[in-house]
């Protein structure tokens, strides 16, 4: 209820809050395993936060009718679909900056660059959102939410390939 009240006043508040809360698990895991909190942890946190943020915004698309009744200021309620997909594309591209920066600073191995393939994958999913004939359950639950499973395969493939 608190999050919804804040989302009435602040655009996408729930998206920021939920994404940050889940991405903070990276810091909690680092602390639990006594890993030093250095820039690499925060670069990974930035990547995960932005990816989760994209997923949260997309999940708001399917909740637009209930959000309209509750007068919530979600991204899909504020921006028309074309503009929203442009914003999502920009955020998807920004996710790559933390990976590239981590590699450039010799903090991430070369196989981490395979995560950059999630950017065209995201753009593919965004284009699917435009299609009115697409089955939304499959799109949301398999393609979009399944992206997190794809990460491990991309990095493993990159490790064997590179």
């Amino acid at each position: 209820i608190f999050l919804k009240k804040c989302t009435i006043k602040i655009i996408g508040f729930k998206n920021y809050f939920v994404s940050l809360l889940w991405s903070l698990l990276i810091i909690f895991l680092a602390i639990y395993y006594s890993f030093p909190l250095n820039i690499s942890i925060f670069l990974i946190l930035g990547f995960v936060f932005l990816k989760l943020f994209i997923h949260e915004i997309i999940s708001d698309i399917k909740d637009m009718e209930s959000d309209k009744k509750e007068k919530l200021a979600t991204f899909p309620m504020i921006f028309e679909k074309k503009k929203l997909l442009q914003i999502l594309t920009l955020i998807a591209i920004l996710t790559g900056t933390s990976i590239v920066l981590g590699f450039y600073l010799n903090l991430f191995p070369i196989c981490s660059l395979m995560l950059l393939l999630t950017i065209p994958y995201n753009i593919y999913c965004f284009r699917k959102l435009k299609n009115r004939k697409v089955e939304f359950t499959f799109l949301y639950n398999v393609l979009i939410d399944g992206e997190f499973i794809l990460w491990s395969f991309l990095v493993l493939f990159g490790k064997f390939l590179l």
Side-chain angles (χ1 to χ4, degrees), residues 5 10 16 19 53 58 62 66 80 104 115 130 136 144:
K5 285 183 181 178
I10 303 169
Y16 299 116
S19 301
F53 190 64
I58 291 173
K62 61 184 174 182
S66 62
E80 64 181 40
Y104 178 75
L115 289 172
K130 290 180 186 178
F136 286 109
I144 294 172

Side-chain angles (χ1 to χ4, degrees), residues 13-148:
F13 178 79
K14 180 182 68 89
N15 304 119
Y16 299 116
F17 184 81
V18 171
S19 301
L20 181 62
L21 194 65
W22 281 108
S23 59
L24 283 176
L25 286 175
I26 293 165
I27 291 180
F28 297 144
L29 281 170
I31 292 169
Y32 180 79
Y33 287 106
S34 303
F35 194 82
L37 293 179
N38 56 25
I39 192 168
S40 64
I41 293 293
F42 291 101
L43 288 171
I44 294 168
L45 183 132
F47 176 79
V48 171
F49 172 79
L50 290 173
K51 287 294 188 178
L52 288 169
F53 190 64
I54 289 169
H55 290 248
E56 286 295 315
I57 291 172
I58 291 173
S59 70
D60 281 341
I61 293 173
K62 61 184 174 182
D63 299 332
M64 283 180 68
E65 287 186 31
S66 62
D67 290 346
K68 190 174 188 175
K69 289 177 188 174
E70 296 180 36
K71 298 179 181 168
L72 298 178
T74 62
F75 283 90
M77 295 301 296
I78 301 300
F79 300 104
E80 64 181 40
K81 199 167 202 173
K82 183 179 179 183
K83 185 72 170 174
L84 179 65
L85 294 177
Q86 289 173 343
I87 291 169
L88 288 172
T89 301
L90 178 64
I91 295 170
I93 292 168
L94 285 175
T95 62
T97 58
S98 60
I99 300 299
V100 171
L101 186 60
F103 174 72
Y104 178 75
L105 295 173
N106 290 324
L107 299 171
F108 298 163
I110 192 166
C111 63
S112 66
L113 293 176
M114 292 296 287
L115 289 172
L116 295 176
L117 292 175
T118 62
I119 297 169
Y121 179 82
N122 285 145
I123 293 169
Y124 168 77
C125 291
F126 302 157
R127 289 196 175 154
K128 285 284 193 186
L129 282 170
K130 290 180 186 178
N131 187 352
R132 295 184 187 267
K133 294 180 182 178
V134 71
E135 183 188 342
F136 286 109
T137 304
F138 177 77
L139 179 64
Y140 291 116
N141 297 337
V142 177
L143 289 181
I144 294 172
D145 288 338
E147 179 191 346
F148 299 110

